[in-house]
Amino acid sequence: MLTVLFVDDDPDIRFIAEMSLGFDPGFRVRLAGSGAEVLECVQDEVPDLILLDMMMPEMDGCDTFAALKDKLDPMPPVIFVTARTRSEDVTRLIELGAVGVIPKPFDPLQFAALVRGIIG
Amino acid sequence: MSPTWTGLFGNLALVSVLVLLWGFISEQSHIIPRLMRRIGYGLLCGAFCYIVIAYGTQILPDFKFDLRHALLGVASYFGGPISALIAGSMASFARLEVGGAGTQPGLIGIAISTSVGLVMHYATRRRQHLISSHVLLSCALMFGLGLSFVAVPAELRLDLLRSVGLPLFGLNFVATLVATILIGRQLHQRDTVQINRIYARMVQELPECLNAKDRDGRFIAANSATARLMRATSADDLIGKTDFDFFPADIAEQFRKNELDVMNNQTSAWIDQQVLFPDGKLIWLSTLKAPLYDQSGRVIGLITRNRDISEQHKLDEMKDQFVSTINHELRTPLTSINGALALLAAGAAGPLPEPVRRLVDVGHSNARQLLNLINDVLDLEKIESGSVAFDPSPVVLQDALKDAAFGFEGYLPEKNVRLRMRDQTGGKITINVEPLRLQQVLHNLISNAIKFSPKDSEVVLELTRDAAEIHLAILDEGPGVPPEFESRLFKRFEQADGSSRRRMGGTGLGLHIAKEIAERSGGRIWYSRRDGRVTAFTLSFPATTSKAAVRTEHPK
């Protein structure tokens, strides 16, 4: 069983992602609505995988990623979920240390399989 | 020297005074209206005629020889009918006063000279400053003068011609030529000054900054916009100074280097540069520099045009920001709507009764349609605004087609359309294009082809080449495009059949985007119908534009 932490500031998208990831019986889904919430969340339990939204108010995806890197060792794999999918944006995120980038909007029926494909 | 020569030389001196006074009147063109000036020219020439006729040396009792013909010719040639009438009348009056047997030929001579000048006035209206016109006038006047001798009694004619012919004709000719050339030059100069004043005024008022510098970088001319840009008190304040007087040395050095390049290479240069001005303002300048030549084609400096494009830059940034915001703000709710409906339709919340399932389908397909539209509009905006970089890299077309076809496995399975490659080039073809954009176009064309194909048919991806171009055609057996629609095929938001938008899920932007991409990649896209049953959309790339861009590799 993999614990997956899905982070997005939009509650609707969190709900849909929770349901989509639920198609994979091997995922246990946890949710967070902001960077601050993520940092709080990982104190109780470090997830096996983090799905991180890019555009969030206050702490955006990159800020959250950097804060997590400071805090966690070893760092769990992170996949960015973002509407910005120009090749230079994607390259930048991979260089930053993400294991993958999933473009928004994602297909809820394929989402879980996509995540599986990235983490192998 | 005979008294005739002496007298006529005296006249010639008068002609120079006439030219001087003529110039004086002509220079007052801004205060004296044209009609008054012409009256002035007439009076001036008339008065001089009066002087030379009434007070000129009398050689023979009844005859008077002088330079009146030159004076009258000049008056009517430059001054037109009004000057001609006045000068002619005054000359006739003077000749009548003198009287004698020569009166009749004298009056005839006056009439002829005035008429000749007038004819030349109209004949050369716009070309009065040409030397050839002046020579023609002088010759015509001498011919007229000759004619007036017909009125002289026959027994006197030869004697007269023998004694005064040479000085009379010669000096009248010279006087006409000298006066016309000098006055013509004056007029030309006056026009030039006026034109210069107009240009100077236009340049002064231009909102763009214009200036000229000499080879050493000193300002030799500048308009007021330049003065404002440089924070100089006036345009005159700039003259004689250089950029080093206004900018820190490193910035001025950079300007100077650009200018030396322009002058040494004798080419124009367009430079978009951000410049830090001494007062701390950062301004985007669009600069054009071009060499300045003298009459012999030698570079004597350069002219510079500067336009402040800071505002434009700010707008561009704002637009990018706006597009990016729209992108995010529109996609976020749509992601939720789409996701929710997709999950519902897939039965994630349990099985749905038939009417509910249909309603969910309607919602889902329309939400998807809206998302496609937003994607296409944003895509198009990015391509058209040039914010998409077209970084070409070598692409093997055969591989690109295979990649594109691969993406369609399992697309619309109920149609059972097969994709087939037909390569008639006999070797791998590599062209320089942006690979992702080529895929985007191919994807668009192939999905269109499949959508419009009949059931159980074939879509062919055909690769051919001729001397000029490499053609990449997508062929289908669908109904094709109605002839009346062909001209609008690649325009935005155009679809042959409005209902197909709903049925096929297109946005009406796909072909327009494909065309934009094809053209920006140096190719073109076109539609044709083969044998009345095969529809072809063809992407053509030039085979010869550059040897480096197109390469054919033959299999070993």
Side-chain angles (χ1 to χ4, degrees), chain B residues 415-435:
Chain B
K415 285 203 122 166
N416 189 30
V417 173
R418 290 175 311 282
L419 287 181
R420 193 160 64 80
M421 284 271 283
R422 188 196 293 155
D423 182 359
Q424 296 171 336
T425 57
K428 288 232 181 285
I429 291 188
T430 309
I431 61 168
N432 261 331
V433 286
E434 153 80 47

Side-chain angles (χ1 to χ4, degrees), chain B residues 3-29:
Chain B
T4 317
W5 279 103
T6 325
L8 288 175
F9 270 123
N11 283 190
L12 205 53
L14 272 181
V15 169
S16 63
V17 179
L18 174 93
V19 170
L20 208 69
L21 291 175
W22 186 295
F24 183 72
I25 298 178
S26 139
E27 271 163 27
Q28 311 306 313
S29 61

Side-chain angles (χ1 to χ4, degrees), chain B residues 216-249:
Chain B
D216 300 323
R218 279 188 297 263
F219 285 98
I220 47 180
N223 67 351
S224 41
T226 307
R228 279 197 298 278
L229 182 77
M230 307 282 286
R231 312 291 185 266
T233 45
S234 71
D236 291 335
D237 181 41
L238 287 169
I239 308 301
K241 292 185 179 163
T242 70
D243 284 333
F244 288 89
D245 295 314
F246 296 94
F247 291 100

Side-chain angles (χ1 to χ4, degrees), chain A residues 2-73:
Chain A
L2 283 178
T3 309
V4 181
L5 178 60
F6 184 87
V7 190
D8 198 304
D9 59 315
D10 186 324
D12 293 345
I13 290 182
R14 286 204 297 275
F15 176 61
I16 287 162
E18 185 181 18
M19 216 165 174
S20 309
L21 291 169
F23 284 127
D24 189 320
F27 286 156
R28 190 167 67 90
V29 185
R30 295 180 63 199
L31 302 169
S34 69
E37 215 176 299
V38 174
L39 296 177
E40 213 172 282
C41 217
V42 295
Q43 268 175 345
D44 318 334
E45 181 197 351
V46 178
D48 300 306
L49 173 67
I50 299 174
L51 300 177
L52 202 47
D53 179 29
M54 229 3 252
M55 281 166 115
M56 292 188 291
E58 287 157 31
M59 278 174 93
D60 71 5
C62 285
D63 297 339
T64 311
F65 185 79
L68 280 172
K69 242 179 167 174
D70 283 348
K71 205 166 171 154
L72 298 180
D73 190 37

